Amino acid sequence: MGKSDGGAIRLDKLLADTGRWTRREAKELLRRGRVTVDGSVERDGARKVCAGECQVAVDGQIVSWQRFRYLLLHKPAGVLTATEDKRQRTVLDLLPPEDRDLFPVGRLDKDTTGLLLLTDDGALAHRLLSPKYHVDKVYEAEIEGDVDAADVAAFAAGMTLSDGTPCLPAGLERLGEGRCRVTLREGKFHQVKRMLAQRGHPVTSLHRVAMGALTLDPSLEAGGFRELAAEEVAALKGE
Ligand code: URA
């Protein structure tokens, strides 16, 4: 929630970012002298406070807040996973202006839908994407043909793509005729599509349902997003 300037954040934004009060309610709390910073009443919502350095309280109750922001987006088809593009809409265009300083963790193809995490926490992004940390990314694919035991074995053994790109062992599960679930621990360019195509099953649609401990809420419509709960952030961090 604070930005990279050492975690400094406006007091009124900090209160609203906790999700417990709206901006308007936060301003009212401040106006009524119910907010303290390090024990002294503070009425100025523009006052900058630093995560981990100042103690903010409302009615004497300490307010804890996250330094970083985490949004779960249900990416629709037709938008780029990028922070800007001159011609095409990006995932950031789906967010309100105040959230457009976040960046996507990893990349989904333009036609791929599903779970996309956006954050300003670079350390967590690195951890989630690095094969070293073995964070599973789970996809559901519609394909031509049907996967069989030989396909499952090939995925499990670790495939080498036709251009020589080596892939780590991956999970493949048949979900029904022409449908399968793929679990990867890395995110190479078009990886799911290339692996399945190489096995003779071109992908006709691809949807990501999970990344590590984080799963896409079935109730979140394409284009919808929400803040992660503190427990979800902790689980992603392996805490
Ligand atoms: N693999 C793909 O081929 N495409 C994606 O968007 C994600 C993983």
Side-chain angles (χ1 to χ4, degrees):
M1 301 189 175
K3 293 302 303 145
S4 49
D5 53 345
I9 180 173
R10 282 176 60 112
L11 189 51
D12 53 5
K13 179 160 166 54
L14 178 154
L15 292 168
D17 279 355
T18 63
R20 292 170 61 191
W21 302 280
T22 62
R23 271 271 179 135
R24 182 195 287 214
E25 288 167 343
K27 284 193 189 335
E28 187 62 15
L29 291 173
L30 287 154
R31 199 180 64 76
R32 290 176 180 266
R34 291 170 59 186
V35 181
T36 55
V37 176
D38 294 332
S40 306
V41 171
E42 179 56 80
R43 289 191 157 83
D44 181 7
R47 158 94 184 262
K48 291 273 186 112
V49 287
C50 281
E53 288 175 23
C54 309
Q55 197 166 75
V56 176
V58 173
D59 296 333
Q61 298 280 312
I62 292 166
V63 173
S64 58
W65 81 96
Q66 293 172 303
R67 177 159 169 229
F68 295 113
R69 307 201 55 221
Y70 306 90
L71 289 186
L72 169 63
L73 170 73
H74 181 166
K75 179 192 172 297
V79 293
L80 293 185
T81 307
T83 51
E84 57 184 345
D85 191 86
K86 287 204 173 64
R87 279 177 291 275
Q88 303 191 58
R89 285 210 317 152
T90 74
V91 288
L92 289 190
D93 294 323
L94 301 168
L95 306 180
E98 65 268 23
D99 289 328
R100 294 201 187 135
D101 53 353
L102 303 183
F103 58 83
V105 178
R107 182 185 289 261
L108 293 178
D109 297 335
K110 187 175 171 186
D111 59 351
T112 300
T113 58
L115 182 155
L116 187 66
L117 178 65
L118 295 120
T119 187
D120 50 4
D121 183 345
L124 180 65
H126 173 73
R127 186 191 155 90
L128 292 173
L129 296 176
S130 166
K132 201 170 83 186
Y133 291 101
H134 291 199
V135 175
D136 286 346
K137 288 96 189 169
V138 185
Y139 300 85
E140 289 180 1
E142 288 179 15
I143 55 172
E144 289 180 19
D146 215 354
V147 294
D148 60 16
D151 297 320
V152 173
F155 269 55
M159 290 175 59
T160 302
L161 299 177
S162 49
D163 65 355
T165 305
C167 299
L168 290 173
L172 177 63
E173 193 186 331
R174 185 180 181 277
L175 294 178
E177 189 160 354
R179 290 185 55 235
C180 61
R181 181 180 297 131
V182 175
T183 303
L184 299 185
R185 289 185 165 170
E186 55 188 344
K188 294 187 167 138
F189 187 60
H190 294 330
Q191 188 168 351
V192 173
K193 291 175 185 167
R194 290 162 77 202
M195 289 172 78
L196 282 165
Q198 192 160 314
R199 295 297 310 171
H201 304 299
V203 170
T204 53
S205 92
L206 189 61
H207 181 71
R208 183 157 65 190
V209 293
M211 181 185 248
L214 193 60
T215 53
L216 184 63
D217 328 30
S219 58
L220 198 61
E221 286 176 9
F225 61 91
R226 65 168 177 83
E227 294 270 353
L228 291 197
E231 306 80 65
E232 290 176 308
V233 176
L236 273 180
K237 290 180 176 170
E239 289 169 351

